[in-house]
Amino acid sequence: MVEKDNRLPLYYQLMDIIIGKIDSGELKDHDKLPSERELCEMYNVSRTTVRQTMQELEKEKLIYKQHGKGTFISPKVINQSLLKFYSFTEEMKKIHKIPSSKVLAFEEIESDAKIAKKMEISEGMKVYKITRLRFADDEPMMYEISYLPLSRFPNLNGNDLEVVPMYTLFRDKYQAIITKATERFSAIPTSKKEAILLNIHEGEPSLLINRISFERDAVIEYTVTIARGDKFTYSVELN
């Protein structure tokens, strides 16, 4: 509760309470906060204190307001460190979100010149082309197209990828271990097709991520990802 004799300002204490509820999961993305009057009564503080608290939370992008509807908890932005190899599934679990995937297309194709160059294989060699939509708590987060060498992953089943994470299949079914990966990031406007799939507006900023994963010296994955710009940030430590 807010303590009147505490040296911390009242608005700061109220902020701390609300942030604590967000961090604990008691308040979830898009949950509606009580009204100013209700917060005043709940915590025995003035409207001035509540308004200052809301201003600070909004400044920190922890809440957002909708005219005539109220104040709501902002969706969490996922900050991904680039210091080591990571998987979407494991990163979502770390922030207590439930990851899932929907396979939109699963094909066996002959690699064209571009794919062959990226994967360091001969043009015409067969690869899987796997198109997926990645979710966190049933909210679309990423649109991905992955290319895998058929020779390294024989009898791969598209249905498995909706149940088992790709990298888990690599490890458990094929004993394939990724030893390194490279990624390239670009900011792009979201296309109409991508916007529909990701449930955002056409033209909103997204991140285009090109990942090439290696098993020792052999490329075993080339993935092109469109990640929602409002959901992800990426950071790297400079020494």
Side-chain angles (χ1 to χ4, degrees):
M1 294 297 293
V2 172
E3 300 172 353
K4 297 292 178 68
D5 57 352
N6 194 307
R7 293 176 63 186
L8 290 173
L10 297 180
Y11 83 89
Y12 192 92
Q13 294 183 54
L14 184 53
M15 272 184 69
D16 198 42
I17 290 170
I18 293 172
I19 291 171
K21 290 186 176 184
I22 294 172
D23 291 341
S24 70
E26 184 178 342
L27 287 173
K28 298 180 173 58
D29 294 356
H30 305 295
D31 277 357
K32 185 177 180 181
L33 283 171
S35 67
E36 284 187 2
R37 180 181 57 78
E38 290 170 331
L39 287 169
C40 290
E41 293 175 355
M42 287 168 65
Y43 297 103
N44 191 26
V45 292
S46 68
R47 286 211 170 193
T48 301
T49 296
V50 170
R51 285 172 183 167
Q52 188 172 4
T53 300
M54 295 299 109
Q55 287 171 3
E56 294 298 322
L57 290 171
E58 190 172 19
K59 192 184 300 181
E60 295 293 325
K61 298 184 179 179
L62 293 171
I63 62 171
Y64 65 96
K65 295 178 180 178
Q66 287 190 346
H67 184 68
K69 294 185 177 180
T71 304
F72 301 84
I73 301 299
S74 297
K76 291 184 179 67
V77 175
I78 298 147
N79 182 35
Q80 174 60 57
S81 171
L82 299 178
L83 293 177
K84 61 181 181 179
F85 184 80
Y86 63 92
S87 78
F88 174 83
T89 299
E90 294 306 315
E91 293 306 310
M92 293 306 101
K93 288 179 179 178
K94 285 180 185 177
I95 59 171
H96 310 295
K97 289 184 176 289
I98 299 173
S100 60
S101 297
K102 181 179 181 181
V103 176
L104 304 178
F106 184 87
E107 311 165 74
E108 293 182 15
I109 64 169
E110 292 184 355
S111 56
D112 60 18
K114 177 184 175 182
I115 300 302
K117 183 178 180 180
K118 292 285 187 182
M119 300 186 70
E120 300 178 2
I121 58 177
S122 301
E123 187 175 348
M125 283 188 65
K126 284 198 168 184
V127 296
Y128 296 107
K129 179 182 178 182
I130 305 162
T131 307
R132 296 185 295 168
L133 202 54
R134 315 299 300 276
F135 297 85
D137 288 347
D138 295 324
E139 184 174 18
M141 307 287 279
M142 290 178 164
Y143 171 64
E144 287 188 343
I145 300 177
S146 297
Y147 301 90
L148 314 175
L150 205 75
S151 58
R152 183 62 185 88
F153 303 105
N155 304 314
L156 183 64
N157 189 323
N159 294 328
D160 289 343
L161 292 169
E162 291 194 343
V163 180
V164 183
M166 181 184 286
Y167 296 144
T168 302
L169 274 177
F170 283 5
R171 183 191 66 217
D172 295 347
K173 186 174 181 179
Y174 297 98
Q175 291 73 55
I177 303 297
I178 294 174
T179 53
K180 69 173 182 177
T182 63
E183 287 191 330
R184 177 173 291 177
F185 295 78
S186 304
I188 60 167
T190 308
S191 71
K192 183 176 181 179
K193 176 185 177 181
E194 295 157 358
I196 292 170
L197 291 169
L198 293 171
N199 195 28
I200 57 178
H201 296 295
E202 181 181 358
E204 282 192 30
S206 290
L207 285 170
L208 170 64
I209 308 169
N210 283 269
R211 172 184 281 198
I212 298 176
S213 301
F214 295 81
E215 183 182 35
R216 293 180 291 277
D217 295 326
V219 175
I220 60 172
E221 175 206 11
Y222 168 50
T223 292
V224 179
T225 300
I226 305 296
R228 287 177 55 168
D230 63 334
K231 294 294 184 182
F232 292 92
T233 63
Y234 292 82
S235 61
V236 61
E237 182 178 328
L238 303 176
N239 293 315

